[in-house]
Amino acid sequence: MDLTPTEMTETNEAAEQQPEVANTHEHTHDHDHEHTHQHAPALNPELTREIEVEVGADEVSKSFKTVVKRYQKLARIPGFRSGKVPESLIRSKFAKEVRQEVLESLVSERFRKAITEQKLRPVSEPQLLDMQLVDGQPLKFKAAFEVAPEIDITGYDSVRVSKPEAALTDEEFDAELSRVLDSHATVEPVEEDRALVDGDWAEIQFRGEVKDLAQTVTEEGVQNASTSPTQAPITGEDVLIEIGGKNTLAAFNDALRGAKAGQELKFEVDYPADFGERRLAGQTVSYDVTVKGIKHKSYPERDAEFAKQLGNYESWDDFEGKLREHAADRKKSSLDNAAKDKLLGELIERLQFPVPESFVQQQIEARLDRGLRALAQQGMSVEDMRKLDFVRLREAQRDQAINEVKASMVLDRIAEVEGVAVSDEDVDRELLMLSIQSREPLEALRERLSKDGGLDRIREQMRREKTGSVLYEKLAS
């Protein structure tokens, strides 16, 4: 792991109070919300390793002198000729910068040398402990970090899952076709004087009062026993309801069927306990409804002309065939992904190993960032985001983050055993798709991702997805 001292985390509290010993770790985000970070992130004790490093006083002094001399040549200070600034002035005026360069030249080099000699591979940012850096004295420090766990995947290929039945049913295809037709249908008023029948759309105005079911009988009559505040009335204007429609409650069908425009109705609706709108679930609502009009939905003719409006189709049969294929593919993909998730879940449960806490924290941050961006897109303000309980939010993400880290590590290990690789051509195709989606020129995208490590992350994720597919084909039956 090739890190500079500014990428390490120093945990010596005494050192933090000393300008000559203090070291900082900065962590930035590309969004506006604020996070609360621990100065010294926790490490998993099972995976924590610690090394001690010492650099002789002569080498420390030599490094200080080398850096100071370079500053003497480059410094431009009024009253002194170029290259003639006194060493003492350089040491006082640029003390922080000089010390930082000495750290970068000594600490990183010695740290890399020490972990190479001990054949250690850190997977977390090293935490510098008890670091002492003073010109003319030996440099001493300890570094604690996490290493990757040994993952024994023996028996991974004995896990089995069943391949789901992915054939598209006629009912599922009809639902797909209905969605297409509904999106191109027109709703027109019925001019003739007649009653509502199945297939019509009633345009209604309504007001609903939620009845309090908790009532008792006293000497004064019927009283509400509930102490909860009265719910606000439920109202609606120009609402369209399909008579006999599969999504229309039976109570509305029964009340509206046979009614005419201008008619006023009173009826009650008992909502089931599992009703989608929570405030109505399990409630009884008394409605006053006015039928404002009758409308009829007209659908386009299922012919070649309409098919060509929908896309590059030769005929209506061609469109239906392609629609069936796409719907079947989506269903199969969805069911296969669910089965892959189940397979991976069973592997994670079977293969027990410690997980680097640094990886878990990174995954928690990633999940939290995605959640906050979603809230921002839904309209939550930065001020409201800052009021969120981030400690609780992080804790709520922890179990899922651990499973996601475990899944990635298991897939990486299995990819090694199975010899799964991602070709440059595969990556190029993925970049092309990203370029089209983001409308960023391909080469500009490639250059940006190459610089920030994004290209390696894309290849890594593609390898994991490919490994999951290889496992599924191998273990599913």
Side-chain angles (χ1 to χ4, degrees):
M1 179 173 255
D2 191 9
L3 298 174
T4 67
T6 55
E7 293 173 308
M8 298 181 180
T9 305
E10 185 175 339
T11 60
N12 180 11
E13 294 182 0
E16 290 174 2
Q17 301 170 3
Q18 302 287 340
E20 273 295 316
V21 185
N23 190 22
T24 60
H25 168 58
E26 296 182 356
H27 189 72
T28 59
H29 291 277
D30 59 354
H31 43 76
D32 293 330
H33 63 272
E34 296 178 349
H35 288 232
T36 303
H37 292 281
Q38 296 179 357
H39 182 69
L43 303 178
N44 187 330
E46 294 183 73
L47 300 173
T48 299
R49 303 291 182 269
E50 188 175 297
I51 60 173
E52 295 186 19
V53 178
E54 180 172 344
V55 182
D58 290 343
E59 190 169 348
V60 171
S61 295
K62 181 180 178 181
S63 183
F64 267 100
K65 287 180 181 178
T66 299
V67 175
V68 169
K69 283 184 178 180
R70 188 167 72 255
Y71 270 72
Q72 280 183 296
K73 292 181 179 179
L74 299 175
R76 298 291 183 267
I77 298 178
F80 296 94
R81 287 184 296 167
S82 179
K84 299 297 183 180
V85 180
E87 181 178 324
S88 59
L89 183 57
I90 292 293
R91 286 180 178 270
S92 62
K93 189 174 182 63
F94 300 103
K96 182 178 179 180
E97 291 82 0
V98 168
R99 181 181 181 280
Q100 186 62 38
E101 289 200 27
V102 172
L103 279 175
E104 291 179 359
S105 65
L106 294 179
V107 175
S108 293
E109 176 187 346
R110 289 308 175 102
F111 175 76
R112 288 194 296 270
K113 182 178 179 182
I115 61 174
T116 299
E117 290 174 349
Q118 297 183 40
K119 297 181 180 179
L120 296 171
R121 296 184 61 187
V123 296
S124 70
E125 295 177 357
Q127 298 178 7
L128 301 185
L129 313 171
D130 305 323
M131 188 174 72
Q132 304 293 330
L133 175 59
V134 178
D135 191 1
Q137 297 181 17
L139 165 64
K140 299 179 181 180
F141 67 89
K142 296 178 183 178
F145 49 85
E146 290 178 304
V147 296
E150 292 291 333
I151 304 177
D152 182 4
I153 61 172
T154 302
Y156 78 91
D157 53 357
S158 64
V159 175
R160 291 291 183 270
V161 293
S162 299
K163 282 190 176 181
E165 175 55 52
L168 190 72
T169 66
D170 290 339
E171 291 77 12
E172 289 168 336
F173 173 72
D174 289 342
E176 287 284 338
L177 184 57
S178 292
R179 280 192 284 271
V180 174
L181 295 174
D182 279 342
S183 66
H184 290 83
T186 58
V187 179
E188 301 169 350
V190 174
E191 301 297 342
E192 63 181 297
D193 181 19
R194 66 170 178 81
L196 283 161
V197 297
D198 285 358
D200 286 336
W201 289 75
E203 182 180 3
I204 66 172
Q205 171 186 326
F206 65 84
R207 176 185 176 88
E209 298 282 351
V210 179
K211 297 184 66 175
D212 193 332
L213 301 181
Q215 296 180 330
T216 58
V217 178
T218 69
E219 292 180 355
E220 287 74 32
V222 179
Q223 292 184 346
N224 289 334
S226 174
T227 58
S228 61
T230 303
Q231 291 193 34
I234 304 164
T235 60
E237 293 282 346
D238 303 327
V239 176
L240 290 176
I241 293 182
E242 183 182 10
I243 308 303
K246 62 180 179 180
N247 294 322
T248 304
L249 290 175
F252 276 90
N253 284 327
D254 293 342
L256 292 170
R257 189 182 289 118
K260 290 187 174 184
Q263 192 169 341
E264 296 180 356
L265 307 169
K266 288 181 178 291
F267 57 93
E268 289 186 353
V269 177
D270 294 323
Y271 287 92
D274 59 353
F275 191 66
E277 190 171 346
R278 186 176 299 176
R279 67 170 179 159
L280 296 179
Q283 301 283 1
T284 296
V285 180
S286 177
Y287 280 103
D288 291 311
V289 175
T290 299
V291 180
K292 299 181 68 176
I294 301 175
K295 296 194 174 184
H296 187 73
K297 185 175 285 190
S298 297
Y299 297 93
E301 290 292 330
R302 304 184 191 186
D303 54 20
E305 183 179 350
F306 180 43
K308 290 177 181 178
Q309 292 178 21
L310 296 172
N312 188 23
Y313 304 107
E314 295 295 331
S315 64
W316 180 255
D317 288 342
D318 182 30
F319 164 73
E320 283 198 349
K322 295 295 196 310
L323 179 65
R324 188 180 291 275
E325 288 177 12
H326 293 325
D329 288 344
R330 283 199 304 272
K331 180 180 179 180
K332 183 177 186 305
S333 177
S334 177
L335 292 176
D336 283 347
N337 287 336
K340 289 177 186 177
D341 289 342
K342 182 180 179 182
L343 172 62
L344 193 53
E346 293 187 12
L347 280 171
I348 292 171
E349 189 174 344
R350 178 178 295 194
L351 305 175
Q352 296 297 316
F353 55 91
V355 178
E357 181 63 23
S358 54
F359 287 7
V360 175
Q361 291 302 319
Q362 289 169 14
Q363 193 63 15
I364 288 175
E365 282 290 318
R367 292 178 60 84
L368 192 57
D369 283 352
R370 289 195 296 268
L372 291 171
R373 288 193 179 97
L375 290 176
Q377 291 174 354
Q378 294 168 14
M380 179 176 281
S381 66
V382 174
E383 290 73 19
D384 287 338
M385 285 187 190
R386 287 172 177 158
K387 296 175 184 176
L388 296 173
D389 185 346
F390 285 102
V391 173
R392 183 182 61 81
L393 289 174
R394 281 195 179 84
E395 189 58 34
Q397 301 290 336
R398 182 170 181 82
D399 289 345
Q400 189 62 30
I402 290 174
N403 284 337
E404 289 170 352
V405 171
K406 278 189 170 183
S408 295
M409 299 184 77
V410 166
L411 288 173
D412 289 343
R413 182 71 184 92
I414 293 176
E416 295 175 6
V417 174
E418 294 283 346
V420 179
V422 175
S423 68
D424 291 341
E425 291 76 13
D426 291 336
V427 175
D428 287 342
R429 279 193 294 271
E430 183 69 16
L431 287 180
L432 180 59
M433 292 300 298
L434 289 174
S435 173
I436 294 172
Q437 292 170 2
S438 64
R439 298 182 180 179
E440 183 176 1
L442 179 58
E443 291 309 314
L445 175 67
R446 188 191 303 276
E447 182 178 356
R448 177 173 62 80
L449 292 175
S450 297
K451 288 181 179 179
D452 66 11
L455 203 57
D456 290 336
R457 289 192 294 272
I458 288 173
R459 184 185 291 272
E460 189 177 64
Q461 184 58 32
M462 290 178 66
R463 186 184 187 215
R464 289 168 183 161
E465 291 175 359
K466 187 174 182 178
T467 303
S469 296
V470 168
L471 277 178
Y472 182 62
E473 292 304 320
K474 182 175 182 178
L475 306 180
S477 57

